[in-house]
Amino acid sequence: MTVDAIIEIVAETAPEIRDGLVNRRGTTDEQNPSDEIQLEADVWADERLEDRLTALDGVGAYASEERKGIVEAGDGYSVTLDPLDGSSNLKSNNSMGTILGIYDGQLPAAGRDLVASAYVLYGPITTMMVARDDTVTEYVIEDDGSRRPVTTDLTLPADPVVYGFGGGVTDWTDEFSTFASEIQRELKLRYGGAFIGDINQVLTYGGIFAYPELETAPEGKLRLQFEGIPVGHIVATAGGRASTGTGSLLEVDPTELHQRTPVYVGNTDLIERRERV
Ligand code: FDP
């Protein structure tokens, strides 16, 4: 069925994206719709995935963090991609990811329209986390693009261990600083600068990731449609909670494709504590 085929295409493309990074570390002269300078790798990964996904029967629309508009492809699911999440890590050779959302509805779409979400992590090994049918499965992706499940029914560990908070400390709001100083006394810092790398730490060890609202950017940095909702869905399906800091991230109705949002994801009690501050 189409949902399987979409996930399959992203998995099959992952080794090719990984292999192609080495010669695409430079920047382009272009900016993405969020006014960030695009890397050659961002544009290339987006084009690869757009070509393959829009050719699939049952894909109705394709949208990505790297292009302004929606590519209409016929009738069927709306597919969103952050083709290379955390691509500024390419310069320093650190982890990056690809984030996928599959929505049964027109874009921009809310969390309730998601039928599946997934991410690929380009770490020392290539893995894929898939949330669908109320369960999360972690796969290893082999060099030929095939997938092998390594963890089924993945759930967040009950006792949280790690935290990662984005944004400059001097740009944090007083409210967030108060919350952060409590957490910093309880958990161990793990922040690598790529959402997917940092989220995988939280799903593995338990804890909290936040890219909060900032004094200079009240909407934070991460994109609701391409990053917040799909990753929030994976964390919620694994038994955690995804929030804007004041309410569920999965209940937000996006008004613009590229809108940003504060993101808080991780163990439910930690996220609820933030919502109560
Ligand atoms: P990047 O700018 O490298 O694409 O998507 C935005 C993102 O990375 C996330 O992956 C990451 O969590 C965050 O930005 C890192 O931002 P900071 O550099 O401000 O820490």
Side-chain angles (χ1 to χ4, degrees), residues 260-277:
R260 298 178 191 263
T261 182
V263 169
Y264 294 81
V265 277
N267 285 67
T268 302
D269 48 346
L270 296 173
I271 306 300
E272 286 179 348
R273 261 167 71 185
R274 170 64 187 112
E275 289 173 335
R276 285 196 297 269
V277 171

Side-chain angles (χ1 to χ4, degrees), residues 36 65 82 84-89 166-167 191 193-196 198 209 211 221-223 227:
E36 298 164 338
E65 197 174 293
D82 181 355
L84 217 44
D85 169 71
S87 57
S88 51
N89 270 2
Y191 188 79
F195 187 29
I196 288 311
D198 292 326
F209 171 89
Y211 205 110
K221 178 176 184 189
L222 302 183
R223 269 52 51 123
E227 300 173 292

Side-chain angles (χ1 to χ4, degrees), residues 37-56:
I37 296 285
Q38 290 177 305
L39 296 184
E40 290 167 38
D42 287 319
V43 176
W44 175 75
D46 177 45
E47 285 170 358
R48 276 279 169 290
L49 289 163
E50 187 252 349
D51 275 357
R52 290 172 190 180
L53 289 165
T54 55
L56 197 64

